[in-house]
């Protein structure tokens, strides 16, 4: 297993995760950290602190989540790639459960379940629940293991998402279309902190999460340009219209009792013109991304992951796959 962790300005969270990786019942073959923190704030001591890990530390001065993960893929030596976020927390048997279940089910991709602070615990944390496995409709890059050789069929992460969101959904879609067997393990739970700074927040993306919007009377979790780009690439204009309509409807949703829900509806009615304007702007930006087309580096011998875009022909071939 090669563990790939892109990081940006989140050293306290990263230290916790590296400590948990060091104590795994089945140690990973290597852990590759791709550090994109600004040079003036970049730490150089962590690579030497975790002696129990085969830790490889890469640095990039130009931040971007897709280019960082592509660089990790290019430098990896394991047969399996385990994608984690720098603000994850994992149990001691996480790697062992991942690789044993993936091997026993002969799957190409295996994903776990994410628990976010402030949300109700997922069922897999309840002793009365019998964990299940099923075909996965998600590909979260903060808790997924993947056979590396399957990326030879699909290419790496699309660089159009480099400073945006849903890049994992895009790669998951390409894996599905290429014939990968993708499994979800409900019994393998991790904690994802959604750190308030660093990561995508540094690019102004996913500043308000779905959980944060549900807890607030004022915040809205609205679709980004990349949500529309994803919908247009794989499903067309009708799907983009559905994304917009659902975003407006879901903005009225909140937790709590009847009084709180009524107040949320009132607030969202006042915010409705702003909501419609934001959604329209995001859709237009997504349409521009769709017209530009994907930038998908190839994976394999002689590939240049994380570097300049490949030739137009290679990109078209990767997209078709």
């Amino acid at each position: 297993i090669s563990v790939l962790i892109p990081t940006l300005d989140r050293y306290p969270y990263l230290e916790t995760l590296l400590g948990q990786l060091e104590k795994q019942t089945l140690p990973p073959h290597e852990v590759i950290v791709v550090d994109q923190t600004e040079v003036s704030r970049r730490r150089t001591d962590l690579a030497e602190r975790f002696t129990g890990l085969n830790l490889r530390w890469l640095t990039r001065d130009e931040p971007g989540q897709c280019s960082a993960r592509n660089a990790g893929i290019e430098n990896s030596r394991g047969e399996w790639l385990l994608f984690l976020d720098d603000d994850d927390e994992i149990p001691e048997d996480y790697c062992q459960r991942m690789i044993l279940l993936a091997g026993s089910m002969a799957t190409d991709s295996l994903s776990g379940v994410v628990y976010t602070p402030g949300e109700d615990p997922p069922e897999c944390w309840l002793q009365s629940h019998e964990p299940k496995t099923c075909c996965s409709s998600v590909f979260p890059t903060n808790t997924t293991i993947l056979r590396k050789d399957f990326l030879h069929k699909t290419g790496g992460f699309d660089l159009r998402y480099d400073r945006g969101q849903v890049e994992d959904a895009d790669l998951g879609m390409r894996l599905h279309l290429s014939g990968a067997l993708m499994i979800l393990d409900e019994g393998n739970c991790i904690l994802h902190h959604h750190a308030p700074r660093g990561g995508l927040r540094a690019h102004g993306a996913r500043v308000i999460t779905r959980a944060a919007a549900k807890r607030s009377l004022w915040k809205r979790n609205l679709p980004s340009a990349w949500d529309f780009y994803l919908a247009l690439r794989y499903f067309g204009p009708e799907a983009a219209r559905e994304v917009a309509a659902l975003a407006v409807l879901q903005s009225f949703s909140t937790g709590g009792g009847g009084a709180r829900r009524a107040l949320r509806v009132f607030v969202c009615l006042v915010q409705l013109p702003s909501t419609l304007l934001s959604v329209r702007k995001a859709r237009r930006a997504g349409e521009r991304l769709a017209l530009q087309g994907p930038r998908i580096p190839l994976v394999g011998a002689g590939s240049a992951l994380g570097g300049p875009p490949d030739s137009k022909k290679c990109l078209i071939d990767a997209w078709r796959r």
Side-chain angles (χ1 to χ4, degrees), residues 71 95 182 193 210 213:
C95 290
M182 304 169 68
H193 283 284
R210 189 173 302 172

Side-chain angles (χ1 to χ4, degrees), residues 171-191:
L171 179 55
M173 180 65 71
R174 283 187 276 129
L175 288 166
H176 168 71
L177 293 174
S178 68
L181 174 59
M182 304 169 68
I183 298 295
L184 177 68
D185 175 18
E186 291 186 353
N188 206 356
C189 296
I190 69 163
L191 181 66

